[in-house]
Amino acid sequence: REIWKGPHRQDGSFMWYGLPRGADLSVLAATAGSPLRGKPEGLDWIRYCGLLDPDWQWTTITRGKFELLWNQMAEQYGEVLGNEHPDLKRFRELGHRLIIFHGLADPIVPVEGSIAYYERLQTKSSRVADFVRLFLAPGYGHGYSSTGPTPVGEMDAIIRWVEAHEAPDQLKAIQWDPHGKVIGSRLLDRFPGNQN
């Protein structure tokens, strides 16, 4: 339940979104040692980018230290990796277009972050759908190694959008078996639905 709920501060306030139900959580855990012990995902990011300490041991962290580390890393990397600044006015003025897609079964980057970013864009700019489209892919996990249907044709959609002014309302998603045979496909409607 805590994984699905997402990290919260000791006072119960929100830190970040939890993982979606149905996501393959095995990619987040590894085992090592004898006897086997769990090793949470992201430890190297904390060691080398957050603490700059290759010898840091995750078993020593307390909840309070976790919160401090979270705040430090958000401040340190938020401008580059965060989604708190939804001002794309200059991007729009230059005539650029953006397609965002996110798997609804992503076990590493919670989909609610992309949805929240898109919704914040709407508070900063009218007619966001004129230059940004968000597509959510059911069953799709993280990256192109996902077992769910994979969105395809994003570059073609961007080119048509920029050159022919045909904004995409749908993207196609295809699922292949391990031998490369197509075993399924579906259309993904733009978020928050195919609205004009």
Side-chain angles (χ1 to χ4, degrees):
R1 285 190 195 113
E2 291 298 313
I3 290 172
W4 292 323
K5 180 182 174 184
H8 284 70
R9 300 185 190 286
Q10 293 178 86
D11 65 6
S13 62
F14 173 83
M15 289 175 78
W16 197 243
Y17 304 96
L19 299 179
R21 292 180 187 266
D24 178 6
L25 302 182
S26 67
V27 300
L28 296 177
T31 55
S34 179
L36 290 176
R37 291 180 46 177
K39 178 184 170 192
E41 171 71 24
L43 294 181
D44 285 342
W45 172 257
I46 295 171
R47 267 189 198 105
Y48 300 113
C49 297
L51 296 171
L52 306 175
D53 180 0
D55 298 321
W56 174 75
Q57 295 300 313
W58 70 274
T59 54
T60 63
I61 197 165
T62 64
R63 188 160 184 112
K65 286 181 183 176
F66 175 76
E67 285 184 32
L68 289 173
L69 182 59
W70 181 277
N71 294 339
Q72 170 197 327
M73 291 180 74
E75 184 176 326
Q76 195 171 359
Y77 295 104
E79 289 294 320
V80 178
L81 300 175
N83 63 4
E84 295 299 315
H85 305 290
D87 185 358
L88 295 182
K89 181 179 178 186
R90 183 76 177 128
F91 180 87
R92 180 181 186 169
E93 289 171 351
L94 291 170
H96 297 315
R97 303 291 182 262
L98 176 64
I99 292 177
I100 304 167
F101 72 86
H102 203 126
L104 289 171
D106 191 327
I108 297 175
V109 181
V111 66
E112 286 85 355
S114 290
I115 293 170
Y117 178 71
Y118 187 80
E119 290 173 343
R120 279 196 299 276
L121 282 174
Q122 293 175 318
T123 67
K124 290 286 184 184
S125 179
S126 62
R127 303 183 52 91
V128 168
D130 288 352
F131 66 103
V132 179
R133 297 285 169 105
L134 170 61
F135 296 88
L136 304 179
Y140 186 73
H142 186 81
Y144 287 98
S145 63
S146 178
T147 58
T150 301
V152 296
E154 306 93 332
M155 288 304 297
D156 291 336
I158 285 279
I159 290 168
R160 280 193 309 275
W161 196 2
V162 171
E163 294 181 358
H165 307 288
E166 297 174 13
D169 286 326
Q170 294 181 318
L171 286 181
K172 188 172 186 177
I174 298 176
Q175 186 169 4
W176 295 271
D177 72 10
H179 305 290
K181 179 182 175 189
V182 173
I183 57 173
S185 66
R186 69 180 305 152
L187 291 175
L188 308 175
D189 288 331
R190 70 179 172 101
F191 179 85
N194 199 0
Q195 303 171 13
N196 292 317

